[in-house]
Amino acid sequence: MAAGRPHSRDKILAAAAEVAREVGPGNLSLDAVAYRAGVSKGGLLYNFPTKAKLMQALVQDYVTTYEAQLDQAMQGQGSLLAAHVALSAKECSETVPSAAGLLAVMAEDPDFLLPIKSLKRRLLDRLKSASPGASNLLIVFAALEGLRSMKLFDMDVFTDEERETLLADLLSSVGAARQS
């Protein structure tokens, strides 16, 4: 394979992520993913024999990507907690499809989100280790998860200004926790 040329599995995952963002994971079709990736449906099925396997790979890809982004953000922020707040703020500003599709996928396979739950637990454990004595750590973590959930379920009641104020306060409390 030529250097720099994406592997078909990577092209398929990228295409599936794009299609899922556009139509929601519950409406994702293998035909649409194959077309977007520029591969035959047989090529897609070779890499991912079922839609469930493709969705599982998408979740795992999200987990891997988030962890890499978090490590990269930590270099710029100087603290894992500050990096998590900044990365969460970025995620909360992005448009996401309705959660109805996600709920449909979860109904099909209840274990669908186990890798994300595991990521969140590892992240919380890392945060606790990196910020011992940060009394507000659990509050910051819960606030960020609340923002994500409100965004995911299209229940975000905050104005942009209120969300920015909340995130700035969280960042400020993280800065205060780092200095203590």
Side-chain angles (χ1 to χ4, degrees):
M1 179 166 42
R5 188 171 150 205
H7 186 277
S8 63
R9 181 178 169 84
D10 296 334
K11 288 191 330 187
I12 293 167
L13 283 174
E18 289 174 14
V19 172
R21 270 192 300 276
E22 291 170 8
V23 301
N27 297 318
L28 182 134
S29 79
L30 296 179
D31 289 326
V33 173
Y35 179 79
R36 177 76 54 98
V39 300
S40 68
K41 188 168 181 184
L44 184 146
L45 292 172
Y46 175 80
N47 286 281
F48 304 101
T50 65
K51 181 178 174 181
K53 293 290 184 193
L54 176 60
M55 296 305 291
Q56 288 170 348
L58 270 177
V59 170
Q60 188 56 52
D61 189 56
Y62 167 80
V63 167
T64 302
T65 300
Y66 186 83
E67 288 178 319
Q69 289 174 338
L70 185 61
D71 289 340
Q72 183 179 12
M74 194 168 80
Q75 293 173 3
Q77 295 290 330
S79 119
L80 180 61
L81 188 52
H84 180 54
V85 172
L87 192 54
S88 296
K90 179 180 175 273
E91 277 191 0
C92 287
S93 70
E94 296 172 351
T95 303
V96 295
S98 162
L102 179 62
L103 294 173
V105 171
M106 287 171 39
E108 186 178 315
D109 182 0
D111 294 335
F112 178 70
L113 292 180
L114 285 178
I116 293 177
K117 183 177 180 181
S118 177
L119 165 71
K120 301 284 184 178
R121 183 70 242 182
R122 284 191 318 272
L123 176 58
L124 182 56
D125 289 342
R126 277 181 70 190
L127 287 166
K128 287 168 60 177
S129 292
S131 307
S135 61
N136 61 347
L137 172 66
L138 295 178
I139 294 168
V140 171
F141 190 84
L144 293 172
E145 291 306 313
L147 284 174
R148 280 195 174 99
S149 293
M150 287 179 7
K151 181 82 170 179
L152 177 65
F153 292 106
D154 198 21
M155 301 287 287
D156 190 353
V157 297
F158 292 124
T159 65
D160 289 342
E161 183 179 326
E162 290 168 333
R163 190 176 315 96
E164 288 173 19
T165 299
L166 172 62
L167 290 167
D169 287 348
L170 289 173
L171 281 170
S172 175
S173 72
V174 168
R178 275 192 318 203
Q179 294 168 358
S180 58

